[in-house]
Amino acid sequence: GFGGAAAAPNLDAEATITIGFADAFRGCERTLAVNEERVQVRIPPGVKNGSRLRLKGKGNLQPGTGRRGDLYLTLRLAEHPVWKLDGEQLRADLPLSLDELALGGEVRVATPDGEATVQVPAGIPLGRSLRLKGKGWPGKAGRGDLLLTPVLRLPERLSDQERDLLEQLRAARSSDPREGWIQSATL
């Protein structure tokens, strides 16, 4: 037995808060109400979904003794319309037009720090990401990488000139994109 001594109650408290993507990226201050008390929390830059912060002495109070536990704060990141945090990698789709995909060239892109220019290789396969070193999520060892994955964005409405040019392209096409594919797909 424990010699009759009552086990010390667990005075630790748990709480979960949701913060915006920008606040998680830059770090922020939050004021929480814990046990009728206002607690200032400094959230460091680069926290991730499920990151836990320990606030010493901000947990539950043991009546009569003045002893206090710690508060464990679990962070949730709100979804962002562009950015996805995937482990250490910050990812986004990079919308490209048909001509940009086929011909490549310099393209203006978004980064968390604002606009940048990247060189898109001609004929880049969809699904192959462009890596921008040091432009991603803050971590212990500095900023991670940013991965931009090309996706084809066709216009909702083609102009007459675009339609004419695409018709010419179709007439001039020199290879069949499904060459060998149908044969190998037949079971």
Side-chain angles (χ1 to χ4, degrees):
F2 289 104
N10 177 10
L11 299 173
D12 290 342
E14 295 267 349
T16 300
I17 62 167
T18 299
I19 61 174
F21 220 77
D23 286 340
F25 178 79
R26 291 205 180 82
C28 62
E29 302 253 337
R30 278 282 186 280
T31 306
L32 310 177
V34 183
N35 296 330
E36 335 305 42
E37 187 190 352
R38 293 171 79 68
V39 178
Q40 277 287 114
V41 190
R42 224 198 80 53
I43 296 169
V47 292
K48 299 196 171 91
N49 220 2
S51 290
R52 276 165 69 88
L53 300 179
R54 177 182 173 203
L55 305 175
K56 286 180 76 73
K58 297 296 183 186
N60 299 322
L61 184 63
Q62 185 178 21
T65 65
R67 281 182 53 223
R68 291 199 65 169
D70 298 336
L71 172 63
Y72 289 90
L73 197 56
T74 301
L75 301 174
R76 293 265 161 261
L77 266 59
E79 293 268 306
H80 191 276
V82 173
W83 305 115
K84 297 268 176 297
L85 192 52
D86 174 12
E88 302 298 311
Q89 310 277 18
L90 186 60
R91 297 180 170 275
D93 284 345
L94 172 58
L96 293 174
S97 64
L98 181 58
D99 55 288
E100 287 170 330
L101 268 173
L103 303 173
E106 286 208 339
V107 176
R108 277 190 12 253
V109 300
T111 78
D113 311 294
E115 281 189 16
T117 307
V118 298
Q119 191 67 38
V120 174
I124 186 171
L126 292 173
R128 176 178 301 163
S129 297
L130 297 168
R131 183 182 299 270
L132 279 66
K133 288 211 171 297
K135 292 282 183 197
W137 202 248
K140 299 218 175 357
R143 296 273 296 272
D145 296 342
L146 177 61
L147 296 177
L148 297 175
T149 306
V151 292
L152 175 59
R153 177 73 52 85
L154 290 172
E156 300 206 350
R157 204 172 278 105
L158 294 172
S159 72
D160 289 346
Q161 190 183 7
E162 283 172 324
R163 183 172 299 285
D164 289 348
L165 288 168
L166 284 169
E167 294 284 0
Q168 290 175 47
L169 184 61
R170 173 157 55 192
R173 189 187 315 130
S174 57
S175 65
D176 177 0
R178 289 168 299 286
E179 178 76 48
W181 177 74
I182 292 175
Q183 293 83 337
S184 26
T186 306
L187 300 178

